[in-house]
Amino acid sequence: MIGVLVVDDNPVVRSALRGFLDATDDVRVVGEAADGREAVAIAQFVQPTVTLLDARMPIADGLSVLGELSRHTSVLALTVDADPELIARMLRGGARGYLVHGEFDPGELQRAIIAVAAGHGWLSPVAAAVATAAVRDHGAHQQAQHDLAERQREARSRYALTQREQDVLALLSEGLSNAAIAHRLLLTEKTVKNHLHHIFAKLGVNSRIEAVLRWIGHT
């Protein structure tokens, strides 16, 4: 039997969920809460297997207590909000699943609870689309970072930059001034200017912008 805590500020929603879940053979509602703060207190006491958590609530919303709730229970977000940013933040915050009201039937809710209780994930179509996009974007970002690092390794080898010159160039790429670079590296501004002079000569450029572009591999 899977014990479920229902967290929603709407008493009608809580009553409807309790009525359905208590009629199933696999699930029983072991507690209800109207806000995130109350949910944490109840979860600590009853230790539900799964918590159905609304995202938007007064006093303390679902996102604000997600981390603490996840220490006591597996969280399945159950909300009317299909905002991609909220979905992404809930999933990053530890929710094992995300269902949007109107996108599932009672049978799917039961299957989702069973899946989350078993340590699996369950996403409604809109949440699945957001999760897929996040993974794709993360992969693209990782590849871009890898490509940049590879280009910089090639640049170090090709232009024989010293470690200190690489440090100066990296900060230059962040848009820092000579004074800021000197402060970060505990150098004098004159020393930074000397390093930049050597960097420009090795890279075959005449300006800060050209140096940065050459360093990141655009030219």
Side-chain angles (χ1 to χ4, degrees), residues 70-90:
S70 296
R71 292 198 288 269
H72 306 285
T73 176
S74 295
V75 175
L76 173 59
L78 183 63
T79 178
V80 298
D81 202 324
D83 176 58
E85 177 61 24
L86 176 63
I87 294 172
R89 293 177 69 188
M90 291 289 283

Side-chain angles (χ1 to χ4, degrees), residues 4 207 216:
V4 173
S207 69
I216 64 177

Side-chain angles (χ1 to χ4, degrees), residues 99-193:
L99 290 177
V100 178
H101 285 296
E103 291 193 358
F104 63 89
D105 56 28
E108 182 178 357
L109 175 59
Q110 183 179 7
R111 293 191 295 273
I113 291 172
I114 294 172
V116 168
H120 305 303
W122 194 282
L123 301 174
S124 64
V126 65
V130 169
T132 300
V135 170
R136 184 175 60 248
D137 291 346
H138 178 71
H141 175 72
Q142 292 291 89
Q143 185 61 47
Q145 291 294 98
H146 175 271
D147 292 345
L148 174 59
E150 186 62 31
R151 290 196 300 269
Q152 291 176 345
R153 280 193 292 270
E154 293 175 358
R156 286 194 293 270
S157 175
R158 181 187 310 166
Y159 301 113
L161 297 171
T162 67
Q163 183 59 55
R164 181 55 79 188
E165 288 167 351
Q166 293 172 41
D167 295 338
V168 170
L169 192 48
L171 294 177
L172 185 68
S173 300
E174 294 179 15
L176 271 64
S177 66
N178 287 359
I181 293 173
H183 178 74
R184 288 277 291 272
L185 297 179
L186 302 178
L187 302 172
T188 66
E189 285 191 57
K190 182 178 180 180
T191 300
V192 171
K193 289 180 181 178

Side-chain angles (χ1 to χ4, degrees), residues 4-59:
V4 173
L5 170 62
V6 177
V7 185
D8 196 295
D9 61 318
N10 188 330
V12 176
V13 172
R14 295 200 307 272
S15 178
L17 289 171
R18 175 182 282 276
F20 164 69
L21 295 175
D22 282 348
T24 67
D25 297 328
D26 304 305
V27 181
R28 284 293 181 274
V29 174
V30 295
E32 296 181 21
D35 61 73
R37 187 181 304 168
E38 186 180 10
V40 171
I42 295 175
Q44 290 174 335
F45 180 70
V46 302
Q47 296 291 312
T49 306
V50 175
T51 291
L52 301 180
L53 181 65
D54 188 16
R56 308 292 190 187
M57 294 179 292
I59 303 178

